[in-house]
Each structure stands twice: as structure tokens, then as C-alpha cells.
Amino acid sequence: MNLKQLAESLNLSQTTVSRALNGYPEVREETRARVLAAAQAANYQPNSRARRLATGRAMTIGHVIPLTGKAEMVNPIFADFLAGAGEVYAREGYDLLLSIVSDGEAERAYRQMAANGSVDGVMVQSPQTNDARIGLLQELGLPFLVHGRTQEPDGFSWLDVANLSAFRKATNFLLDLGHKRIALINGQENLDFAARRRAGFCEAIWARGLAPNPDWMHSDVMTEGYGYSAATEMLAGDVCPTAFLVSSVIPAVGVRRAVADRGLVLGRDVSLITHDDVLSYLNNDADGPAFTATRSSIRAAGRRCAEILINLINTPDQPVIQELWEPELTVGRSTGPAPVDTA
């Protein structure tokens, strides 16, 4: 069924049907509901070229991904976010423009998108504590949503995980188990999420009258190899941690390997809590959670971020939208009381 046939079946003009399908505000709500119901019943999919002509929009969302040499954005976590966002883009008739640029070229890419009208909005990911992209996109007038936030998060729309309170809660859980020698294996701390996780970790330790050990706080790109090497180094010391707090399941797998290499048992000799993005390919729930974790689905975040961004595109004059998701702490097999001789 094409647009003409759908319009004839409803005894409406093609223009009215097109405007109803594309969210124009001047269409009466009862008419819009009638058109949407008929389109769904007929399995009608608008022609993307016709939709662009009807709306005057590109019907495209931009993602600009800078590569800094460490490729921190090209990872499985980003892939799951993109899969979630892509579900919504496809449902709403939007295409995805993924622009991979060298370090320092992001500004040029955003300016080009704004100048040629190739996108209707932009998704910003992995914000730094102070991120120049925010001011640039505000200057360009491009609708955008930030997955995450900055240290000054007012004045723009974002969705973020409550990283500080999540890692404070996780650290308190370990402290309540009697652990006093706790290590942090974090992401790159120029990124806002990692800076907040470090702050939550330190706050919890200071509140118990203890002090974080700077030699047991590591920060880098979150790979399995990084988790393995950092944990191996710390476990080789004369005095070593009895527990690890890790910023992703990916380096947590490396920590687990390092613990096993020393003949130790995770959950008995050494405890571990990680942040779990509920990755589709790395299931922490098989046969019960392997890791005690703060959990928040990155794929669900991708879906919700896409919904918010499209909402901002459709209604550009609305107030900023800001959502903070509190992760759930789930207890798995990787935590237990501090060993008696080290507590």
C-alpha cells in the first residue's frame, strides 16, 4: 500500500495523512490516531525519500566518533548502545550517519553536518568532564542529546547513570564485608563517568575514616588486558588488595584471570564488584550472576536516548530533558567477607 491508497481508504487527503504520520502539530489528535491505526493495520511504511520531502528534514541522526589512537569509543559497549538507539531510529523512520574522525576533527564534522543539513540531530557520547562539544553544538543550533553529562550539566539535555552514588554504594558493600584494602580499576578519568565513579569510591572510604591507596587506583581504556595487568601488578605486592571495584565487566574478566593465575579463589580470597552494562554478548546472569555488580543496561539507555533526541527534534522549543538512572546492585559469586588475617 502506498500513501495515495492509504489516504483514499481513510477518505483523507495525502497531505493530511503525510502530516499525521510525520508528527505535524496542526493535525487533530483524533485524526492522527485514526491514521496511525490504519497505517499499522496495513503495515504501511513511508517511503523515506517522500518523507524527507514532506517534512523538510534529513530524517537522519548523526554520531561523530573521534579516534584518539586508543579507540575507546569503538568497543562492545558502544555497539550495544548503538543497537538500542538503532531500534528506535528504524521504528521512527530515521537513518543513522556514523562519522569516524581522527582526533581533533570532530568540530569540523559537526560544522559540516550543520552546514549541509545532513542530520536533524546529534547524539553525543563519552562526554569529558569539560566537553567543548556542548558549546559548539549549542552555537550551531543542532538538536543534541548527551549520553552522560559534564561537571556542569545545566543547560542541555542528557541521560546518565548515577555513577557517583553507584560506586559509593558498591564500595560501602565491600566495606561492610570487612574489606579495608580496596582497589579501583577505573576508566579514563578525563571522562565524566569515570571521574564520578572515582569520587564515589573515595567518598565511601573517607566516610569510614580510611584513606584510599593511590597505588591501588588505576585509570585507562577498559580492556580485558588492562584489567589483567593492573590486577596482576597489585596482587604481586607484599601488601595487596583484598577487593577490587572495576568500571566494566570487560576489565573485570581480566581481574578474574589475574586472581586465578595467583591460585586465589574469587569470592573467597579476593572480592570483586564491577559495573555491568548488561551486554548482549557477555551475560553476567548465566547460572546466577558471576559478578556482584552495579547494573544498568547500555542497550536500554541507547533506546531511551534515541527517544529523547527525536522528541527534541520534533519539539525544539521545549525545556531541556535530563534523566538520571540509578543502577541496581546485584550480588553474585565474586564477593565474600574479607579474609580474617587481612581484615
Side-chain angles (χ1 to χ4, degrees):
M1 176 178 282
N2 58 31
L3 180 64
K4 181 180 178 181
Q5 292 167 329
L6 179 62
E8 288 175 349
S9 72
L10 292 164
N11 198 27
L12 296 170
S13 71
Q14 292 183 53
T15 300
T16 298
V17 171
S18 176
R19 288 177 177 272
L21 291 170
N22 290 300
Y24 279 78
E26 63 267 27
V27 179
R28 296 170 60 189
E29 283 305 314
E30 53 266 37
T31 301
R32 189 190 317 280
R34 183 176 160 224
V35 170
L36 291 174
Q40 184 176 12
N43 197 27
Y44 171 76
Q45 295 295 326
N47 177 278
S48 59
R49 181 174 179 272
R51 190 171 185 184
R52 289 181 175 92
L53 290 172
T55 62
R57 295 178 182 168
M59 299 307 298
T60 302
I61 305 293
H63 290 243
V64 176
I65 309 303
L67 296 182
T68 66
K70 292 186 174 181
E72 67 272 12
M73 280 299 296
V74 182
N75 59 44
I77 297 172
F78 171 67
D80 254 31
F81 179 91
L82 206 59
E87 294 174 25
V88 177
Y89 296 159
R91 185 186 73 209
E92 299 297 327
Y94 281 83
D95 293 327
L96 165 66
L97 176 60
L98 183 61
S99 182
I100 308 292
V101 300
S102 58
D103 193 24
E105 289 294 304
E107 179 177 346
R108 180 197 57 79
Y110 287 126
R111 289 191 181 278
Q112 184 174 346
M113 287 177 174
N116 63 24
S118 59
V119 301
D120 301 303
V122 172
M123 189 74 72
V124 177
Q125 292 177 259
S126 292
Q128 298 187 8
T129 54
N130 298 292
D131 201 308
R133 292 176 294 177
I134 308 301
L136 173 64
L137 290 168
Q138 290 172 329
E139 172 198 330
L140 295 173
L142 272 174
F144 68 95
L145 179 80
V146 179
H147 177 223
R149 52 186 159 150
T150 64
Q151 290 297 298
E152 296 182 2
D154 296 329
F156 62 92
S157 296
W158 49 262
L159 181 148
D160 197 12
V161 167
N163 290 294
L164 189 149
S165 64
F167 268 50
R168 185 170 54 210
K169 182 188 300 183
T171 306
N172 279 325
F173 184 86
L174 291 170
L175 290 164
D176 289 343
L177 288 171
H179 294 279
K180 297 179 181 177
R181 305 204 309 250
I182 306 172
L184 174 67
I185 297 182
N186 203 6
Q188 295 167 279
E189 290 177 358
N190 64 311
L191 301 177
D192 184 80
F193 82 89
R196 291 179 189 274
R197 290 178 183 180
R198 180 188 179 106
F201 169 77
C202 291
E203 282 183 14
I205 291 179
W206 286 327
R208 302 291 182 101
L210 304 172
N213 185 336
D215 294 333
W216 293 346
M217 292 189 288
H218 289 235
S219 169
D220 209 336
V221 179
M222 296 188 296
T223 65
E224 192 274 349
Y226 157 56
Y228 176 79
S229 61
T232 297
E233 175 188 329
M234 288 185 275
L235 290 170
D238 293 333
V239 178
C240 58
T242 63
F244 291 88
L245 182 55
V246 188
S247 265
S248 168
V249 167
I250 299 169
V253 172
V255 175
R256 179 171 62 186
R257 181 160 64 96
V259 169
D261 279 0
R262 292 194 65 81
L264 303 172
V265 176
L266 195 64
R268 186 192 69 190
D269 305 310
V270 177
S271 287
L272 184 158
I273 298 180
T274 186
H275 181 74
D276 179 15
D277 286 298
V278 197
L279 300 177
S280 56
Y281 71 97
L282 196 58
N283 186 357
N284 186 39
D285 282 335
D287 302 319
F291 295 123
T292 297
T294 57
R295 304 186 76 214
S296 184
S297 168
I298 191 71
R299 188 161 185 152
R303 285 193 292 265
R304 181 59 184 146
C305 283
E307 291 171 351
I308 295 173
L309 180 54
I310 292 172
N311 184 6
L312 293 169
I313 292 168
N314 289 336
T315 315
D317 295 329
Q318 67 179 301
V320 297
I321 300 172
Q322 298 178 342
E323 290 189 12
L324 188 62
W325 289 10
E326 189 71 47
E328 174 190 9
L329 180 65
T330 60
V331 180
R333 299 190 297 274
S334 66
T335 50
V340 174
D341 58 343
T342 61

